[in-house]
Amino acid sequence: MSYAYPNAPFRPARRNSTSGPSNILVQMQNALPPWAQQWIAELRAQPRAGRRRSPSELKAMGRSTIRRVVKIANALILFWVWTLWWGERTVFQESLEGCGWGEWEKWPSHATPHHVAFVADPQLVDPHTYPGRPWPLSTLTVKFTDQYLRRSFSSMQRNLGPDSVLFLGDLFDGGREWATGTTSSPDERYKKYKDSFWKKEYSRFGRIFSDQFKEGDALSRDPLGRRMIASLPGNHDLGFGSGIKVPVRDRFQTFFGRGNRVDVLGNHTFVSVDTVSLSAMDQPDPQTGSTGTGSGDGKSPNEAIWKEAEEFLNQMNVHRAKAETHELKSLRGQAEGYQFHHAAVEVKEPSLGQLPQSETVGLPTILLTHVPLYRKAATPCGPYREHYPPSSSDEELQEDEQNSLKISGGYQYQNVLTQTISNDLVSKVGPNLVHVYSGDDHDYCEIAHREFSGSPREITVKSLSWAMGVRRPGFVLTSLWNPIDPTTGKSLEAISPTLQNHLCLLPDQLSIFIHYAMILVLTLVVLLARAVLVTIYPSQSNNADAGPILPLTKVQRHVPTSSISSSTIFAPHGLASRGTNTNSRSFEYYPEKGHEGSPTKGTFSGQGHGQRSGNENGKGVLGAVWGAFFGEVWFVAKVVLGWYIFLIWRW
């Protein structure tokens, strides 16, 4: 049978529906989040250009836009963005607001002080720090402690720009354990860590500190340039006393410089002494068991360990004179080095080939030691000690056991130097000793050594790391001003004292993490409550992308299209509103898309159909709640985690 269609216009063949552009756009639209699909649908439903929208349409569009933007999830995301910015940036800036040099130093208006920052015990976390901590917790510990140190040091440079930065030892935590070419750790757990591991730790130290040091160049006013000195060793770098291995110390000095040295900074003479090695003088030899500084055969036990530091102290006048003379020559703008007389002499004629003699100028002297000097037991450390504040407000309190630095020792450590070592150290450094800076204890301590001439004060500097037992790490800033005559080295103004100190406290990282945890709990509670309300009371929800109202049970049978009420309205997600009553029983039908979006089978939700029991209904409700909950959690988490990764990656 044939049919004719006169005057019918020609129609080209329809393209394959699976490859048509319109179908591709539909698939792309279906892949978008529900709120984006709703937004596109509303755009399509808007009047075409040229037709003015009525006030009611504009009002409805405004309400719809507000509902999409003002959502609980979006509000939580904004709250997290602000919180993370505060915890990763703001707290570091705020912690240094009171540390600006002009906030605390008190010099005449014409003064040009030299600014010094003392850093103690960064103790880079390594396998020695928490040997039983499993992965990935161990890796995260290293990551976050390094990040804290880098941020703190970078903030110090960018905001304060000290002219000199001096480290007070314990740069590493397990530096003494890592093998050299001839030694290995006595602990079986660390024998596998070779010399290459120590060198990687050295590079790590450089990335954290050396790379950030240049950030303060623009703020320095010292015409002789800035300096960072990290050669003073601690007991975690070398060991302590007779436990030190000479190859381990040689390696440290090869990379960081000699631990015994003299530097002139801001017209003050800084004397650094390797006291962890010097302490071997009055410790028993690990092989012979003898003690003291000498033995019957003329040799001293542990001599290879303490000899270098002792010889340095015995020649202190020579070292000081050389350093101070060199500084005066630099201030006068003279060429570096020494001038020799050029003459032909007899071989036996002495002295002409020697360096010209220098004289000690007598600049104020500052002693640097990793281990604090000896003091009487229960000597109070003052009000800035974190763990144990003073037990009394009496500033003249002579004893305070809890507030004091404990006089004790153990394997590879000693809280204070012995009285013998301390007396020898102070007497040989010189009569101009005005201050002592030390580390090792991790907490702050400040005392006056009245047993020594001039009662020099000693400050034990806090650790810079939040993993060293203090909640508020810190560092000490020192302002030096001692104007001198470049020719004679004599002071031009009678100033006493010539230095001022200020303790800077850093953020409490543990409290920041606790704050994050509290916000996380609040976020989960809010999103869970929202999921319950949206699932059980959908009409009260203002979300345009709300999911199904009640749990759904799929019916494995074909449902004729005619059985569906014509008043049923299909929501953007396939969510239907209430249909008309059928046999006094309400039901909802949620079509599922088949080919070309045609409904092939349906989902019923309602009462009276006998298709599920009360237990199944409860499980379905719970599943719908959890589904909505995890969907919102993921929506918030992917934005917040991305922002957090950006913050910790960028700085």
Side-chain angles (χ1 to χ4, degrees):
M1 181 179 295
S2 63
Y3 296 90
Y5 293 91
N7 303 323
F10 172 76
R11 299 180 184 272
R14 180 172 297 180
R15 302 168 68 180
N16 191 323
S17 61
T18 60
S19 60
S22 60
N23 191 65
I24 294 176
L25 293 176
V26 170
Q27 294 179 16
M28 293 176 62
Q29 179 178 338
N30 291 338
L32 294 174
W35 63 268
Q37 297 182 35
Q38 173 73 4
W39 180 64
I40 293 175
E42 292 181 2
L43 284 178
R44 290 181 175 178
Q46 291 175 6
R48 296 183 180 274
R51 176 181 175 271
R52 298 183 61 182
R53 298 180 179 88
S54 66
S56 60
E57 289 177 332
L58 293 174
K59 188 175 181 180
M61 289 175 59
R63 286 197 300 265
S64 177
T65 302
I66 292 175
R67 284 198 299 269
R68 284 195 303 270
V69 175
V70 183
K71 293 169 52 178
I72 292 178
N74 290 339
L76 289 172
I77 288 174
L78 291 176
F79 185 48
W80 269 108
V81 167
W82 177 85
T83 299
L84 292 176
W85 181 264
W86 165 82
E88 305 301 319
R89 294 291 190 275
T90 306
V91 290
F92 285 90
Q93 295 296 117
E94 291 178 346
S95 66
L96 298 180
E97 286 181 355
C99 294
W101 304 101
E103 298 292 329
W104 54 271
E105 60 180 357
K106 307 298 180 184
W107 301 118
S109 58
H110 64 279
T112 55
H114 183 91
H115 294 150
V116 179
F118 288 99
V119 177
D121 303 87
Q123 283 188 227
L124 302 188
V125 172
D126 54 32
H128 175 267
T129 311
Y130 304 105
R133 186 164 292 187
W135 185 90
L137 190 57
S138 58
T139 302
L140 291 175
T141 302
V142 171
K143 166 65 179 176
F144 283 104
T145 53
D146 283 8
Q147 180 176 268
Y148 186 93
L149 290 170
R150 182 171 56 252
R151 286 182 175 177
S152 300
F153 195 75
S154 178
S155 298
M156 178 201 304
Q157 302 308 313
R158 288 185 292 103
N159 292 276
L160 303 172
D163 301 309
S164 300
V165 177
L166 305 180
F167 286 78
L168 297 173
D170 275 359
L171 311 183
F172 308 112
D173 189 61
R176 66 192 181 205
E177 304 292 345
W178 317 137
T180 65
T182 58
T183 64
S184 62
S185 173
D187 195 322
E188 288 293 333
R189 293 175 297 178
Y190 309 124
K191 288 185 179 295
K192 62 181 180 180
Y193 297 98
K194 306 301 182 183
D195 182 63
S196 59
F197 185 84
W198 188 94
K199 291 177 180 177
K200 290 180 180 178
E201 294 295 280
Y202 173 77
S203 299
R204 178 180 162 203
F205 179 89
R207 290 192 302 271
I208 295 174
F209 297 107
S210 301
D211 291 352
Q212 324 303 323
F213 179 68
K214 61 181 180 295
E215 295 182 9
D217 291 350
L219 299 178
S220 176
R221 297 177 297 175
D222 193 318
L224 300 180
R226 305 179 70 221
R227 277 167 277 192
M228 187 176 84
I229 302 173
S231 58
L232 186 70
N235 58 300
H236 280 265
D237 299 316
L238 308 183
F240 186 83
S242 59
I244 293 176
K245 297 179 180 180
V246 175
V248 173
R249 184 178 65 189
D250 291 344
R251 177 179 60 189
F252 184 89
Q253 292 185 351
T254 299
F255 285 84
F256 287 100
R258 291 195 173 276
N260 303 296
R261 59 184 291 164
V262 177
D263 298 276
V264 178
L265 306 172
N267 298 332
H268 289 71
T269 300
F270 286 75
V271 178
S272 302
V273 181
D274 176 9
T275 52
V276 294
S277 296
L278 185 64
S279 295
M281 288 186 65
D282 56 2
Q283 285 191 340
D285 185 272
Q287 296 181 351
T288 65
S290 59
T291 60
T293 58
S295 58
D297 58 1
K299 294 184 179 181
S300 302
N302 304 320
E303 183 176 3
I305 300 174
W306 57 260
K307 183 178 180 181
E308 182 179 314
E310 178 66 7
E311 288 180 347
F312 171 76
L313 289 174
N314 290 337
Q315 299 179 11
M316 179 55 60
N317 288 337
V318 175
H319 295 301
R320 287 192 56 184
K322 181 179 178 180
E324 292 174 356
T325 301
H326 177 76
E327 184 71 10
L328 291 181
K329 289 169 68 69
S330 298
L331 292 175
R332 293 194 298 265
Q334 297 179 354
E336 295 184 0
Y338 298 90
Q339 300 295 325
F340 294 88
H341 297 287
H342 297 276
V345 295
E346 295 294 331
V347 175
K348 295 183 180 180
E349 187 175 348
S351 74
L352 288 180
Q354 297 178 357
L355 292 173
Q357 294 296 316
S358 302
E359 296 183 1
T360 302
V361 176
L363 298 177
T365 303
I366 296 173
L367 173 62
L368 306 183
T369 167
H370 175 68
V371 183
L373 297 180
Y374 178 81
R375 72 283 312 277
K376 293 181 180 179
T379 301
C381 284
Y384 298 117
R385 192 162 180 80
E386 177 180 315
H387 287 308
Y388 301 104
S391 58
S392 172
S393 59
D394 183 5
E395 296 183 358
E396 300 299 325
L397 192 65
Q398 298 298 315
E399 293 187 358
D400 191 344
E401 181 65 30
Q402 284 195 336
N403 184 243
S404 67
L405 201 159
K406 304 300 182 290
I407 311 300
S408 62
Y411 173 72
Q412 296 283 38
Y413 82 93
Q414 193 169 286
N415 287 349
V416 297
L417 299 173
T418 63
Q419 190 170 8
T420 301
I421 295 292
S422 299
N423 291 334
D424 184 56
L425 188 62
V426 172
S427 63
K428 291 178 179 179
V429 164
N432 298 321
L433 181 64
V434 296
H435 216 290
V436 181
Y437 295 92
S438 58
D440 185 67
D441 186 65
H442 298 175
D443 205 351
Y444 188 87
C445 183
E446 183 173 358
I447 67 171
H449 288 281
R450 295 184 176 88
E451 66 272 23
F452 301 128
S453 175
S455 299
R457 299 192 69 82
E458 177 180 357
I459 290 180
T460 300
V461 181
K462 281 192 122 182
S463 172
L464 192 71
S465 173
W466 70 281
M468 293 298 120
V470 287
R471 293 286 294 270
R472 295 293 304 274
F475 55 92
V476 168
L477 296 177
T478 300
S479 181
L480 308 171
W481 188 54
N482 179 35
I484 60 174
D485 184 344
T487 303
T488 63
K490 303 301 181 181
S491 296
L492 298 177
E493 298 189 30
I495 304 171
S496 182
T498 58
L499 59 83
Q500 299 173 16
N501 297 299
H502 182 77
L503 170 63
C504 277
L505 295 177
L506 293 166
D508 183 349
Q509 183 65 64
L510 186 58
S511 291
I512 294 174
F513 285 153
I514 293 174
H515 185 77
Y516 288 169
M518 294 173 61
I519 300 300
L520 176 60
V521 171
L522 176 64
T523 300
L524 296 177
V525 170
V526 170
L527 292 180
L528 181 59
R530 177 194 176 281
V532 172
L533 292 174
V534 169
T535 304
I536 299 179
Y537 303 106
S539 61
Q540 303 299 322
S541 174
N542 289 328
N543 273 329
D545 59 341
I549 296 175
L550 291 175
L552 311 178
T553 301
K554 292 186 176 180
V555 181
Q556 301 299 327
R557 62 187 178 87
H558 177 72
V559 181
T561 306
S562 60
S563 65
I564 305 174
S565 172
S566 60
S567 62
T568 302
I569 301 175
F570 298 100
H573 298 302
L575 173 63
S577 65
R578 293 289 183 181
T580 57
N581 290 337
T582 305
N583 297 328
S584 300
R585 297 178 181 179
S586 64
F587 69 90
E588 292 178 287
Y589 175 76
Y590 306 96
E592 297 184 5
K593 294 181 179 180
H595 183 67
E596 294 279 340
S598 61
T600 56
K601 59 182 179 178
T603 302
F604 283 89
S605 175
Q607 299 177 354
H609 292 283
Q611 292 154 345
R612 61 186 179 186
S613 64
N615 186 35
E616 292 174 340
N617 184 38
K619 291 182 178 179
V621 171
L622 185 60
V625 170
W626 283 113
F629 171 68
F630 284 116
E632 290 295 312
V633 168
W634 171 240
F635 175 75
V636 173
K638 62 185 179 182
V639 178
V640 172
L641 288 176
W643 174 243
Y644 184 58
I645 292 172
F646 171 79
L647 290 176
I648 63 177
W649 173 70
R650 291 289 297 174
W651 186 44

